[in-house]
Amino acid sequence: MSVLGIYDGHNAGAALVSERGRVIAAVEEERFSRIKNHDARPGQSAPPYESVAFCLAASPEPVTRIAFGLAAPAELSRNAMATFDACVAAGESQRLSRAAELGLTDSELRELPASTQRRRVDTLSAVVAGAGLGAEAPVAFVDHHAAHAGGAYLLSGLDQALVVTLDGKGDNLSGSVSVGDHGTISRTLEIPSEDSLGHLYSAFTVACGLRPQRDEGKLQAMAASGSIDRRIRSWLEDRFELDGRSGAIRGKLSEGLVIGPYPDRRPDLHNDLVREIIGGSRIVDVAATVQNFLEQVVAEFVTWHLARTGLRTLVVSGGVFANVSLNHRLADLGAVDRLHVHPAMTDAGIAMGAAVVTFAAQGTAPQPLRDLGIGPTYSDRECADAFEREGFCVTTPRLGAEVVLGGALARGEVVARFVGGAEYGPRALGNRSILAPANNPSMPVILNRMLRRSTVMPFAPMARARDAVDLFAVVPVLADSFRTMTAAVPCTVETRRRYPAIVHADGTARPQLLDDDERATAIIDELERRTGQHVIINTSFNLHDEPMVCRPIDAARSASAAGITTVQIGGMVAKLE
């Protein structure tokens, strides 16, 4: 049985699990459309036709089952209306006036969860039909947080774990707690979207002049330069807390607002509320305050559930865990022996999660996810043709393309790498990467100018695993994260001195460590042979506000626009003279 997973929301895309339980393809629609965070819900961008087509083309056998990464309309309606009615019963009767604001009758307002979900189902059904998959491939529904949790745990290779998901919202939830036990996963707690820590962090992001669902990482980065604002901290403590009896997160961000049942949301009201609280405070202090608060609440939440279950292995997924400083805080908890952050913790992982959960429901465990280069790959000829059309000269170097890149880095150049399959998830891990010297303290300014990026975000290091103990505070709990850039760790004194370009304001970095059998190690080997350096900058191959490059022509055009003159394409090197 092979399963095709499809998701139509923010980070729409598709994934395929083969009949042997191996994930063989996964990609977001944005890689093809070139629309950042491509959202395929009705009224947004086009449905995820191209990501589905890619996965089907990669399948060695016919697809026998389809998994939609969303709850069935009737199930969602029951849950969403129960939440809405509970809010009204608790005194939030002003929510009933939302029908008039939306131009709906009361019955239409109550039908909102089901009617909007049916439109999403219709969209995905049209994608399935357009791909030539008929009734012989039955459809399974996997709700948003079941997909987050299942994809993270079932592909982790771990036997037992506490599985926690936190994000903005999805299918009326903003989070969940589950127990993973030898291939089965049982949900023990649901956090309604009313209590969303993701929405809280997003509201602070917007109130600080940044963009929602786009710039939360910048807010996290700014936090390193600020101090706690006690007034804002007090306000946060009044709005969110951990229920010591149930272990649930309780939030009051929407208290008193006129807001309908899921999926209705009033981010403008949340943002205005936070702007009023921020007042004239320094933005870096605001960032530091909400970051510190998020870390504390989530740490207390996780600790409560670890103690309740007796588990010491933690698996996390959902957009909140894109926050690498939060992940570092969780790794420091004495109750955690191992932390696994799903590499596509954002909604980019929903399609795969849906496919994996559906596959496992048939009684066979999926294989752990090891290789993340499961996106589109292209032949050397396709790559050479694309780069030559952009004015590059393509050659096959005798000593190897990686050696050429190492030599260019030794000369202080910025280079790029376009090899193998595109990476699954938001991090460039060497297949779709821009690489630069880490010893030059001016390199972040140079890269930001070349790539037209903001100066806020720090750059991440790539290094060999065998050098890690000399470079970073190696935390065994984070063994998985060191390979997928999903957690920040303190840098050693030597790293801060020798490689200032990858050290953040708080002395941490978000490293990617390479094993000796990975081809990219040859780049660092050559750099070390020439200069003694063994750390380089690794950032995603894209210009500002664009998705990571996918097709060869995307890579060629981006490299030319950025002024990158040396690009590895497979075993070849493209040079722009």
Side-chain angles (χ1 to χ4, degrees):
M1 177 192 68
S2 60
V3 182
L4 174 69
I6 315 175
Y7 180 61
D8 69 324
H10 191 263
N11 300 118
L16 187 78
V17 180
S18 75
E19 62 182 11
R20 292 178 176 81
R22 185 170 67 90
V23 177
I24 58 176
V27 67
E28 295 171 66
E29 191 71 12
E30 69 165 23
R31 303 295 178 91
F32 300 107
S33 70
R34 311 308 299 156
I35 300 171
K36 186 70 174 174
N37 299 326
H38 188 117
D39 192 327
R41 285 172 290 191
Q44 303 290 325
S45 298
Y49 290 116
E50 292 197 71
S51 49
V52 168
F54 161 72
C55 289
L56 291 177
S59 180
E61 66 266 336
V63 169
T64 54
R65 190 170 291 268
I66 298 164
F68 288 171
L70 69 170
E75 176 190 0
L76 176 65
S77 184
R78 283 193 301 271
N79 295 338
M81 289 316 304
T83 300
F84 182 73
D85 290 340
C87 290
V88 173
E92 296 283 300
S93 59
Q94 83 285 342
R95 294 175 183 242
L96 298 173
S97 64
R98 182 63 170 155
E101 286 191 353
L102 294 173
L104 304 174
T105 65
D106 289 345
S107 62
E108 288 172 334
L109 182 71
R110 299 190 65 81
E111 178 66 11
L112 193 62
S115 62
T116 55
Q117 198 77 338
R118 279 194 294 267
R119 291 178 64 196
R120 295 181 67 180
V121 172
D122 290 345
T123 296
L124 292 184
S125 297
V127 172
V128 168
L133 299 173
E136 67 275 8
V139 172
F141 292 91
V142 180
D143 80 70
H144 192 90
H145 283 270
H148 269 318
Y153 166 67
L154 293 169
L155 295 174
S156 69
L158 299 169
D159 288 334
Q160 292 182 306
L162 183 74
V163 186
V164 176
T165 69
L166 291 171
D167 63 9
K169 69 173 180 180
D171 290 334
N172 192 49
L173 297 180
S174 66
S176 69
V177 178
S178 303
V179 172
D181 185 10
H182 294 87
T184 65
I185 186 164
S186 305
R187 185 177 290 176
T188 60
L189 179 73
E190 296 180 342
I191 304 174
S193 55
E194 297 285 339
D195 304 316
S196 174
L197 286 170
H199 283 171
L200 173 72
Y201 205 86
S202 181
F204 269 83
T205 299
V206 175
C208 288
L210 303 171
R211 297 167 298 177
Q213 296 184 308
R214 185 75 68 89
D215 291 339
E216 282 77 6
K218 293 181 180 178
L219 190 72
Q220 177 218 314
M222 289 191 293
S225 302
S227 302
I228 304 298
D229 185 306
R230 295 300 173 187
R231 180 183 57 82
I232 297 174
R233 175 67 187 228
S234 178
W235 181 86
L236 286 166
E237 291 171 351
D238 186 55
R239 291 301 183 282
F240 280 83
E241 64 179 1
L242 177 69
D243 185 331
R245 293 175 298 175
S246 67
I249 294 171
R250 306 293 187 196
K252 296 187 289 185
L253 192 63
S254 296
E255 189 175 84
L257 303 184
V258 179
I259 190 169
Y262 178 94
D264 189 36
R265 185 175 169 236
R266 302 294 303 278
D268 55 326
L269 300 179
H270 293 152
N271 301 341
D272 290 344
L273 176 64
V274 173
R275 283 192 191 96
E276 181 180 342
I277 296 304
I278 288 176
S281 299
R282 292 197 315 156
I283 296 302
V284 291
D285 293 341
V286 173
T289 304
V290 71
Q291 175 68 27
N292 176 267
F293 181 75
L294 174 75
E295 291 180 18
Q296 179 176 321
V297 171
V298 176
E300 291 175 353
F301 173 64
V302 166
T303 299
W304 194 99
H305 288 280
L306 288 169
R308 182 68 174 268
T309 60
L311 295 167
R312 298 187 63 84
T313 297
L314 176 63
V315 173
V316 298
S317 190
V320 168
F321 296 109
N323 190 307
V324 295
S325 295
L326 168 62
N327 297 339
H328 177 218
R329 174 74 175 268
L330 296 178
D332 277 347
L333 294 175
V336 176
D337 288 340
R338 183 171 181 181
L339 172 64
H340 176 80
V341 184
H342 188 58
M345 74 298 289
T346 65
D347 286 358
I350 295 296
M352 183 182 289
V356 167
V357 169
T358 301
F359 182 90
Q362 307 307 306
T364 304
Q367 297 181 32
L369 182 63
R370 303 301 185 201
D371 179 16
L372 298 185
I374 50 178
T377 185
Y378 300 89
S379 69
D380 283 358
R381 186 68 265 162
E382 289 175 294
C383 294
D385 287 347
F387 275 83
E388 286 171 351
R389 285 197 298 271
E390 289 297 312
F392 286 81
C393 177
V394 179
T395 61
T396 302
R398 181 176 58 84
L399 295 178
E402 286 82 9
V403 172
V404 172
L405 260 61
L409 290 168
R411 295 189 297 272
E413 298 178 23
V414 175
V415 301
R417 196 164 188 257
F418 185 91
V419 302
E423 296 96 335
Y424 167 65
R427 312 292 191 214
L429 300 172
N431 288 9
R432 301 290 185 270
S433 289
I434 292 171
L435 309 175
N439 66 319
N440 181 356
S442 299
M443 188 52 67
V445 174
I446 295 170
L447 280 172
N448 284 324
R449 184 177 65 248
M450 292 174 65
L451 304 176
R452 307 165 193 170
R453 293 183 187 171
S454 161
T455 59
V456 173
M457 293 294 288
F459 288 98
M462 176 188 282
R464 297 170 305 203
R466 66 176 183 264
D467 298 322
V469 69
D470 297 323
L471 300 171
F472 311 107
V474 178
V475 183
V477 174
L478 288 171
D480 296 339
S481 292
F482 281 137
R483 285 164 174 77
T484 55
M485 287 187 178
T486 50
V489 291
C491 298
T492 63
V493 173
E494 183 71 0
T495 297
R496 294 198 295 270
R497 182 183 68 81
R498 294 191 67 189
Y499 307 110
I502 55 88
V503 181
H504 194 28
D506 60 359
T508 65
R510 172 172 50 90
Q512 177 197 2
L513 300 183
L514 302 174
D515 292 327
D516 286 344
D517 60 354
E518 296 182 67
R519 288 183 59 185
T521 58
I523 301 171
I524 300 176
D525 291 344
E526 180 65 13
L527 176 68
E528 182 179 47
R529 187 183 72 80
R530 291 175 177 241
T531 68
Q533 300 165 32
H534 45 267
V535 176
I536 56 179
I537 290 173
N538 174 17
T539 189
S540 57
F541 196 163
N542 63 280
L543 301 178
H544 179 59
D545 265 353
E546 291 184 0
M548 266 193 284
V549 298
C550 177
R551 296 165 295 204
I553 192 60
D554 304 326
R557 289 172 177 168
S558 293
S560 179
I564 297 172
T565 58
T566 303
V567 184
Q568 178 184 356
I569 48 175
M572 303 176 296
V573 172
K575 296 278 290 184
L576 189 64
E577 302 297 341

